[in-house]
Amino acid sequence: MMRETLATASSSSSTATNVIPPAEAAWINTYERLSPRWKSFVLPSQSEIPIVISRVNQVDAARLDVEMSAMLKEQLVKVFSVMKPGLLFQYEAELDAFLEFLIWRFSIWVDKPTPGNALTNLRYRDEHAMTTRGEIRTGLEGPGLTIAQKIWYCVATVGGQYIWTRLQSFFAFHRGGDSNQRSAGHRAWFIIQRIEGFYKAASFTNLLIFLYSGRYRNLIERALGARLVYGSPHMNRAVSFEYMNRQLVWNEFSEMLLLLLPILNSSSMKSLFRPFSKDKSSGSESDDTLCPICKANPTIPYVALPCHHRYCYYCLSTRCAATTTFRCSKCSEPVVAMQHGSIVN
């Protein structure tokens, strides 16, 4: 039995030593044959790098675009300020659509970010074309919007908003929702209300999805596949509180002035600092016939008691009504009463 085992082992070893190794070209052919299969398994897992775009940046960009449009509208309205009042009111929808078209024309149409997107380092990317991309580095690569997507974006944002505003104003002026009107108008108003309800419900659902996934702020972006991604992967979000701090300081300062100004009185402050003034003889050398407040001849002369200095009735009465501790502007005596000037000799 032992002899048979040894014979078998010796025969197998001799067979292994007699096997011819494969040629070098065989390894190359095998690699070329299996490489496409390997890439087909590896690339799908790398074709989509999970990237997270800040939701705050996207919402801030939309808000900044709205603010930019409002600033442009304010400047344009000032141009027509000298014209007939209310002239632009009936063309307000057209004005808004024109400004939105200008922003779209000089930003999205020429493959540039909108003002809000530029400030937050964002740009639009065609998400439908991301399955056919080649080299992958950061996950932010990808082509911009196509011409069709740009046109549809303009139609939906500019044209859709304008048409919807005009429809609402038309039915509001013509009372389309009133039951006393004809049935066609009432039916059209009912359909518009239902469409608005469905749109708001869909927008709310899209908002929940956006808060969960961070993609597509509104329904238009989701329908077109226009996703916001970072324009530069090496640029961080710069948060500056300088403007906010300056606004807070000025707001607090203005509120303090509004609180203190009614309490302070100019004549009282002058009387308070008069003893420290260098020009102490100006009061005695001035003409006693003039009112110390308005520096004119009193039309209705009144005197302040107990110092008997002459004032205008309105000047003296307003000062005494403003503060109970009013002091004479000439001698700094507290004024306790006022008397008609013709009685004093």
Side-chain angles (χ1 to χ4, degrees), residues 10 104 112 139 191 195 211 223 247 260 292 304:
S10 60
W104 171 85
K112 292 183 179 180
I191 294 175
I195 294 175
L211 294 177
Q247 288 296 112
L260 294 180

Side-chain angles (χ1 to χ4, degrees), residues 274 277-290 292 295 307 309 311 328-332:
R274 190 178 298 275
S277 176
K278 296 180 180 179
D279 192 12
K280 295 183 179 179
S281 61
S282 61
S284 59
E285 295 177 357
S286 60
D287 192 358
D288 292 338
T289 60
L290 300 180
K295 305 300 180 182
C307 63
H309 284 127
Y311 288 86
C328 179
S329 301
K330 289 187 175 182
C331 60
S332 301

Side-chain angles (χ1 to χ4, degrees), residues 218-291:
N218 49 53
L219 294 175
I220 298 174
E221 294 178 357
R222 185 173 296 276
L224 296 177
R227 185 186 178 186
L228 284 174
V229 296
Y230 290 123
S232 174
H234 306 292
M235 180 178 177
N236 296 326
R237 181 174 183 260
V239 181
S240 176
F241 296 99
E242 181 181 358
Y243 176 76
M244 184 183 298
N245 293 337
R246 186 165 61 248
Q247 288 296 112
L248 290 175
V249 169
W250 279 111
N251 288 339
E252 294 297 331
F253 184 70
S254 62
E255 290 180 1
M256 183 184 66
L257 289 180
L258 291 176
L259 178 64
L260 294 180
L261 284 179
I263 301 175
L264 300 178
N265 186 277
S266 59
S267 60
S268 301
M269 297 300 295
K270 291 179 181 179
S271 302
L272 179 64
F273 292 104
R274 190 178 298 275
F276 305 100
S277 176
K278 296 180 180 179
D279 192 12
K280 295 183 179 179
S281 61
S282 61
S284 59
E285 295 177 357
S286 60
D287 192 358
D288 292 338
T289 60
L290 300 180
C291 175

